[in-house]
Structures are given as C-alpha cells and as structure tokens.
Amino acid sequence: MTYAVSRAERPALRAGVLHGELVVDIEQALAAHGRALVADDPSDLLQVIAGGHPAIEEVRAAVDAVARAGETGRPGAERLHELGSVPLVAPLPRPNSLRDYLVIEEHMRGVVAAGVIKEVPEEWFSVPAHYKGNVDEIYGPEDTVPWPAYTDKLDYELEICAVIGAPGRRIRAADAGRHIVGYTLYNDWSARDIQAREMSIGNGPGVSKDFASSIGPCIATPDEFDPATAHLQARIDGEVWSAGTIGTMQFSFPELVEWTSQEQTLRPGDLLGSGTIGKGCGVEIDRWLTQGCVVELEAEGIGVLRNRVGHKGQGPARAVALPER
C-alpha cells in the first residue's frame, strides 16, 4: 500500500505493508534490519514492486521482524502506524499502464439482457480485447471522484486488477505467475451515455472512461488473495447493489498476460483489469448513481475501496493532496 505523512507544506508518500492492524513502513523496516533492496527509492511502491519476488521476500522478512518487535523507530522515521492513523492513497498513484479487458461471461450476458448490445460477438470467445485507461487520473481510498459535466449517467464497475511485478515479453500462461506480483480492487468509472455515443462510431471508449479510475486500498499478494474464489461486493450509500465472485473468465489472468505480451513487453506497475463481474455495475441492474453518493467496493483479502461521487462539473477532491509529478 501507499500512505501519506506530513512533511512541511506538502505530504510525502511512503510505501507500506498492512500487517494485521498495523501499517509497517517498508524503507524504515529494511533499514532497521540491515536488509538490502535494489531500488533508488524504497519509499516508492512501484520501485519495490520492480524488484520482483526477491524484493518482496526481503520486504516480507523485514516487515515481519519489525511487527514482531513492535519497533516504532525514532521520531520522523516511524516504522509502525496504527491502521487509520495515516491516510491511504492509491497504491500506485500513477501506474505504468492500465489495460482493462472484457472477459467475464456473466457481465457480457448481463449487458445483452440490459439491451446495451444485441448479442455477445463471436470474436469475444477468441480475442481478449481491452482498452487503455488514463494513468494520470487515478484515485485512491476516500477520494472524491468527479462527475463530468458532459454526462447524466455515471456508473461504477466492480473489477479486479492483476499487477505486473516482473518485466517480460512472450510470456507463456504457465509462467505468468512469476510476473504477477498481486491484485487490487478497481473501479472503472463510466459515463454510460457518452460511452454509447463514442462506441457507436466503432471507436473508444475515450472521455467516457478517461476522467477517473480508482484502485486500492492495497495490493494483495497471490498467497493472500485468490481472484477466482474471493467474495466481492459493491455498496452504494451502505446498500448492497452487487455481490458475488469474479465468475467465469473466458480468459484467465495468466492467459491475459500471455496474449498481451506477444509482441510487447509487460513492465512493473502495469495493471490488467478483469472487466466487470456479473451484475457488478448499474447498467446491468438499471440502478444509477446520484451526486454525492458513497461507493464502496470490497474484496476478501484486499479490503474496502471507498469513494464519494462529486457534484456534476465540480471536479475532483482528493483526500490527500498528492505531490506534483
């Protein structure tokens, strides 16, 4: 996870690990136990992830040691924080890339039933198609997500992202586990009326998606989270609108890795979205968000990703003012 601490006039972002009810600072834990991590800045979670599984194991050992000892460190170099005492931000405030696929069968059947499309295209069964999201409009826990002035139908989408940890090209599905460092929740916010107009042209989506994507609250490693069996839920103002597991994926995450890496290199910090779970969005169930509502996505093993929806045309409001890029 990534969290913020106050530093003079602007916050500093820190990489941490959730250990029970504690947030353990990665850089400080490593320093306390003399462990080496090849990274220019171990306070940057993306650089930690780029170290691959060896780096993750070094971090795990150091964090476990600090948590067992209850070491707080010197003032200004705290190693431990109570969960809730520091604000969380998106675990990767700017991912390397964001690809969102459309591979969950129940969702495809749902949008047909809702009249969004006439039928499931034959090519859907053989090609794991995706669109590329906007990595410069990433929101994290407790952020207010903007309601664009150009849409009257804002929708949430309950999804899971696989996070690439080790680079690779022409990766076989059987080897993909070496390249997936973990999973996080993903809310693929959608302006449905604009999406329909854009895609009627045979292109897109564009501005119907580019205004916001939410990820978080943390990245769970594969030993902590099973995307096939984890229970997922979406609540709007406390009411459950969507619930279930990810369901039948026409292509698994390892198969998405294999397909995508055929003639391009996947890199640390790339996100591969599953697409929406069945009945995991408003358009499938004909229920629509309202301005000011609170949307909570939850997954066993990951936690709760909570966002408030802003008022139309008002713009974003982040829980933590991120440092300038």
Side-chain angles (χ1 to χ4, degrees), residues 16-322:
V17 172
L18 181 61
H19 195 287
E21 293 299 310
L22 295 173
V23 175
V24 185
D25 187 277
I26 289 176
E27 184 176 23
Q28 297 301 329
L30 289 166
H33 290 272
R35 294 186 175 272
L37 181 66
V38 180
D40 292 336
D41 183 5
S43 70
D44 182 342
L45 190 58
L46 181 55
Q47 293 202 34
V48 175
I49 287 172
H53 290 291
I56 298 300
E57 290 308 310
E58 285 292 322
V59 167
R60 194 190 302 271
V63 164
D64 285 346
V66 166
R68 283 196 306 270
E71 299 172 359
T72 58
R74 60 182 173 79
E78 291 82 1
R79 299 167 192 159
L80 296 178
H81 303 273
E82 294 289 336
L83 184 62
S85 68
V86 289
L88 303 183
V89 300
L92 298 176
R94 191 182 191 280
N96 188 59
S97 71
L98 172 58
R99 298 173 176 89
D100 195 22
Y101 298 78
L102 189 61
V103 297
I104 297 177
E105 185 171 355
E106 188 181 352
H107 173 63
M108 289 299 293
R109 303 295 180 192
V111 294
V112 170
V116 177
I117 59 175
K118 293 182 179 180
E119 60 184 1
V120 179
E122 191 62 33
E123 283 298 323
W124 181 82
F125 296 95
S126 58
V127 176
H130 69 271
Y131 84 92
K132 289 186 177 179
N134 184 358
V135 297
D136 288 316
E137 295 296 336
I138 299 294
Y139 293 83
E142 308 301 337
D143 285 342
T144 295
V145 171
W147 186 305
Y150 47 72
T151 184
D152 294 319
K153 283 197 170 182
L154 184 65
D155 202 0
Y156 70 97
E157 296 196 55
L158 174 54
E159 306 191 24
I160 296 294
C161 271
V163 183
I164 298 299
R169 190 181 183 97
R170 297 178 182 167
I171 303 165
R172 297 183 304 168
D175 299 325
R178 304 174 190 173
H179 298 266
I180 296 175
V181 72
Y183 300 90
T184 192
L185 276 164
Y186 171 36
N187 194 334
D188 176 29
W189 302 92
S190 301
R192 293 298 190 189
D193 44 0
I194 303 301
Q195 182 181 4
R197 292 174 61 190
E198 288 181 324
M199 299 189 74
S200 71
I201 301 169
N203 202 359
V207 298
S208 60
K209 301 278 191 176
D210 283 349
F211 62 93
S213 295
S214 295
I215 61 171
C218 66
I219 296 170
T221 52
D223 60 314
E224 299 168 324
F225 179 78
D226 182 351
T229 62
H231 183 73
L232 310 175
Q233 190 175 94
R235 297 183 295 272
I236 314 302
D237 288 336
E239 180 186 354
V240 176
W241 283 20
S242 307
T245 61
I246 205 166
T248 301
M249 296 179 72
Q250 179 66 14
F251 301 91
S252 67
F253 281 115
E255 288 170 331
L256 296 181
V257 169
E258 179 177 83
W259 172 265
T260 308
S261 67
Q262 291 177 92
E263 293 299 337
Q264 60 185 315
T265 301
L266 289 180
R267 303 187 185 279
D270 286 347
L271 301 182
L272 309 183
S274 61
T276 312
I277 76 164
K279 296 182 174 62
C281 59
V283 73
E284 283 187 73
I285 58 177
D286 194 25
R287 299 188 71 175
W288 297 97
L289 301 179
T290 56
Q291 298 175 60
C293 69
V294 174
V295 179
E296 296 175 297
L297 305 189
E298 183 170 10
E300 290 177 322
I302 296 178
V304 177
L305 175 60
R306 180 185 298 106
N307 294 112
R308 184 176 294 278
V309 173
H311 289 268
K312 190 172 181 178
Q314 193 173 62
R318 298 187 183 274
V320 175
L322 301 182

